[in-house]
Amino acid sequence: MSTDHNNAAKGDFAKTVLMPGDPLRAKYIAEKFLTDARQVNSVRNMLGYTGNYNGKEISVMGSGMGMPSIGIYSYELFSVYDVDTIIRVGTCGGYNENVKVRDVILAQAACTNSNYISQYKLNGHFAPIADFETLLKAKTVAEKMGIKVVVGNILSTDMFYNDDSEAWKQWASMGVLGVEMEAAALYMNAAKLHKKALAINTVSDHFIIKGTDTTPEEREKSFDDMIMIALESVILQ
Ligand code: HPA
């Protein structure tokens, strides 16, 4: 069985899927970190792979950018392919001086300005949150590996280019640590389908601390650190 967006067969995906935004990052992760990786999805070049990490089967697939995109792919992974856990591995912009470029944020929760939530017809404001056990495992392995992580709230925005260039400051004033475009929809799908999700984001740019551009090597190293946190957390007993 396949879907309009995924030509993998049922059983092709592992119970846990890592999701970078960029499908070429999915390919990079499969080739660098997994053994016996095979490609399972090719539709729209949203590459998906399944392989092994330290004897455990793990999948990796691109999510695309934004909540409509990750909304589709994560919904199908959870509901059609029986995936239990999705760990987003992405980047975010920094909103807080205590979080620097290349630091890793474990998104305990994800605020949003998106309309995705309206489908559930809730009489109030839903709080999209990470799965606690998945979050705790990621924090535990990061500490063991000596990689600095910050746990807290992020914003999943619909607007990368916001006409109101000051809008971010209101979120920052509420202690929101950074901004990306996917976690809230992933967390809502997981909540609705009784599944587990976590977003891990490396800070790639900063709204306050300027002039901290990173070299390609530094970016690769911090991306690899984030992947190692995700992979090691999956095999942690
Ligand atoms: N805004 C939205 N999404 C992002 C950003 C940003 O500044 N950086 C990385 N993902």
Side-chain angles (χ1 to χ4, degrees):
M1 191 191 17
S2 61
T3 75
D4 285 349
H5 319 101
N6 199 323
N7 56 3
K10 203 155 174 122
D12 272 348
F13 282 98
K15 289 292 172 194
T16 300
V17 181
L18 267 51
M19 292 199 99
D22 178 354
L24 288 180
R25 290 235 155 138
K27 184 169 191 277
Y28 170 86
I29 295 166
E31 287 172 354
K32 183 159 181 178
F33 295 95
L34 302 183
T35 53
D36 303 321
R38 62 194 175 91
Q39 191 178 327
V40 293
N41 184 40
S42 60
V43 178
R44 289 175 182 249
N45 284 324
M46 197 54 79
L47 306 172
Y49 302 84
T50 296
N52 290 290
Y53 181 75
N54 270 15
K56 187 169 173 87
E57 191 179 62
I58 295 183
S59 296
V60 51
M61 181 174 145
S63 71
M65 287 186 289
M67 285 174 273
S69 187
I70 197 168
I72 293 170
Y73 294 115
S74 63
Y75 189 92
E76 291 179 351
L77 288 172
F78 283 144
S79 65
V80 178
Y81 293 99
D82 296 328
V83 168
D84 287 337
T85 306
I86 295 179
I87 303 178
R88 163 168 156 74
V89 280
T91 57
C92 69
Y95 273 0
N96 186 296
E97 276 160 338
N98 296 323
V99 185
K100 311 269 189 290
V101 170
R102 291 198 304 281
D103 282 354
V104 173
I105 298 176
L106 305 179
Q108 185 178 11
C111 311
T112 189
N113 53 23
S114 130
N115 200 36
Y116 199 86
I117 192 71
S118 65
Q119 65 182 304
Y120 306 116
K121 301 184 178 65
L122 299 166
N123 183 23
H125 301 277
F126 181 73
I129 57 167
D131 174 67
F132 180 72
E133 289 297 329
T134 311
L135 172 67
L136 188 60
K137 283 183 179 176
K139 175 87 166 81
T140 304
V141 299
E143 269 165 14
K144 269 194 207 155
M145 294 163 71
I147 301 170
K148 185 187 170 197
V149 290
V150 186
V151 179
N153 211 350
I154 63 165
L155 169 67
S156 298
T157 184
D158 270 346
M159 284 83 67
F160 185 89
Y161 299 107
N162 194 326
D163 193 49
D164 179 358
S165 60
E166 303 281 285
W168 68 273
K169 291 183 179 167
Q170 292 302 112
W171 294 103
S173 78
M174 295 296 287
V176 171
L177 301 174
V179 58
E180 48 86 271
M181 305 186 74
E182 291 82 18
L186 173 63
Y187 288 3
M188 286 186 244
N189 278 350
K192 190 68 188 182
L193 298 169
H194 309 294
K195 302 283 184 165
K196 298 175 186 174
L198 172 67
I200 309 178
N201 289 299
T202 302
V203 179
S204 59
D205 52 281
H206 214 289
F207 283 66
I208 303 172
I209 310 167
K210 297 294 177 192
T212 48
D213 288 356
T214 53
T215 65
E217 292 75 27
E218 286 172 325
R219 283 198 291 276
E220 184 173 324
K221 165 82 173 71
S222 53
F223 182 75
D224 285 2
D225 281 352
M226 174 174 59
I227 301 309
M228 287 302 295
I229 293 171
L231 290 170
E232 287 293 321
S233 72
V234 175
I235 61 167
L236 189 71
Q237 295 302 317

